[in-house]
Amino acid sequence: MPSDHDVVIVGSGPLGTSAGRRLAEHGLDVLIIEQGPAISDPPGSHTRNAARFHADPDAYLEVATAHLDFFDDSVPRDNLPGAAVTPARGGQGVIWTNLCPRGDALWDALSPDEWKAYYDDAETYLDVHAAPFEESTRQQRIKDKLGAALGPDGRAVETLPVAATFDGDGYLHFTAPYDILAASAAATERVRVIEAAVDTLVHEGSKVTGVVAGGRTIEAPEVIVAAGAIGTPQLLHRSGIRPKALGRWLSYHPILVAQLVLDPDLCAAPGEADREPRLQIPPSAAADWYSLVLRDVSPFQPEAPDDTVEPNRLVEIQGICPVDIAEENGIAFDADSRPTFHVPLSPADNARLEGARDDADRITATLGRYRAGCEPIWMPFGFAHMTGTTRMSASDDGTGVADYQGRVWGFDNLRLATNGLIPTRMAVNPTLTGTALAIAVADRLVTAA
Ligand SMILES: Cc1cc2nc3c(=O)[nH]c(=O)nc-3n(C[C@H](O)[C@H](O)[C@H](O)COP(=O)(O)OP(=O)(O)OC[C@H]3O[C@@H](n4cnc5c(N)ncnc54)[C@H](O)[C@@H]3O)c2cc1C
């Protein structure tokens, strides 16, 4: 029986959904197979848009982390105790915090003009905006004060783009895979999502012929695996597709976080409505990590005398530290394709972590002071922003799993759409870059057909 879809996509996260939307806009019928259930309504929408988080935004983080399935959170930090997946309709795109900088470490898979065009498209799909945050009093004043302090070191303080829009009541609506599809008439018509775990890819020679999911084989003229930076190499491994680079060259971001009480002169008056600020300090020669100053979500339990602080006085800072790339850093899969992680920090990584820690003190001294109980902590190592696990390479020389079109080396009709394709040490949050790549992979599929 002929299939009623042109392309099968494994995984309904932001990247699989973006590839699916693009293919639909090219007139193709797409079947997305997602292993997890819907955990939001409508399915694939952002959990953070629920009204209860308007009154208590910090309650969100606990709800989001409840949707993280950790592999083993008791292992030492070199083994990534924070490594986790979210088997749910929309993947981690229903719990992410939506910060969407453009990449700082691009490579030559796309020309500069193509990168720009695909970033533009990714920003449209994810509904990314920066300008609305400039209306925040804290935003303007922090930008001026911190910019004056860091500018002499060649560090810029800029507005941070976010995949979200303010609604009529002044609350942020966060973009999730549901929105990516719903914004496109073609995607609404041509993309179908079903719930089933893909067990293996059926392949012969250079062709994948189908996927085994939920105990049946589904015919697959073209396949894109968009199962996340862990799930994608895991599915290839389970399917017996095991190129040398699979799971290796892993990078990720140790993330330092703290909450500050701002000096009063940086804030709107107590009780006055003020948009939450979101600012970024891109990596530079003087500081090769990525810093954020924003009011987003706080993982802390504040202590006396700061249990209660006027909301306009609060911001968080984050220090996002890219980890050096080395072939031996990565995921090992056992005979049942269960992953374990080995990513020891290099001396340069440790120096970067120390630099980011000192930088947090400097930023804090410029803007105010740490809130009691909210002094800097490292988030569990490995919990977000994994890259490189199915990296792209210019040639089939053993350093990559996929070519510059996202096609797995040696296959005609098997492609990937995942942050795992990113082969460079990216300092900034990766989802916008991954989405740009996913859209490019979809275009290449169409032009190759
Ligand atoms: C708390 C948190 C906050 C974050 N904030 C940011 C941020 O501010 N900015 C940013 O850039 N990034 C952020 N991220 C990272 C961001 O969520 C990911 O980069 C993004 O979700 C990756 O999208 P994806 O589609 O590649 O993978 P995922 O979102 O992981 O989706 C993969 C999907 O594939 C499915 N799948 C896997 N294997 C199979 C299988 N065998 N069969 C069927 N389905 C399968 C999974 O169930 C999942 O739904 C954050 C992550 C977390 C956890």
Side-chain angles (χ1 to χ4, degrees), residues 9-17 33-36 60-61 64-65 68 84-101 177 196-200 213 225-229 231-232 234-235 238 296 383-386 417-420 428-433 435:
I9 296 179
V10 183
S12 68
L15 275 57
T17 305
I33 307 178
E34 167 56 52
Q35 65 183 354
Y60 169 69
L61 202 58
T65 47
L68 290 173
V85 290
T86 302
R89 175 80 169 265
Q92 294 194 330
V94 302
I95 61 165
W96 68 316
T97 45
N98 294 53
L99 311 177
C100 274
V198 174
D199 185 43
T200 47
V225 183
T232 298
Q234 186 177 37
L235 178 57
R238 209 165 47 225
D296 191 5
F383 102 98
H385 304 175
M386 223 173 253
T418 160
N419 295 333
V428 307
N429 311 55
T431 307
L432 186 73
T433 300
T435 302

Side-chain angles (χ1 to χ4, degrees), residues 77 288-289 321 345-358 378:
R77 71 179 196 181
D288 67 341
W289 54 87
C321 292
L345 297 176
S346 68
D349 292 330
N350 280 313
R352 202 174 299 117
L353 264 56
E354 277 176 35
R357 175 64 189 79
D358 291 346
W378 292 99

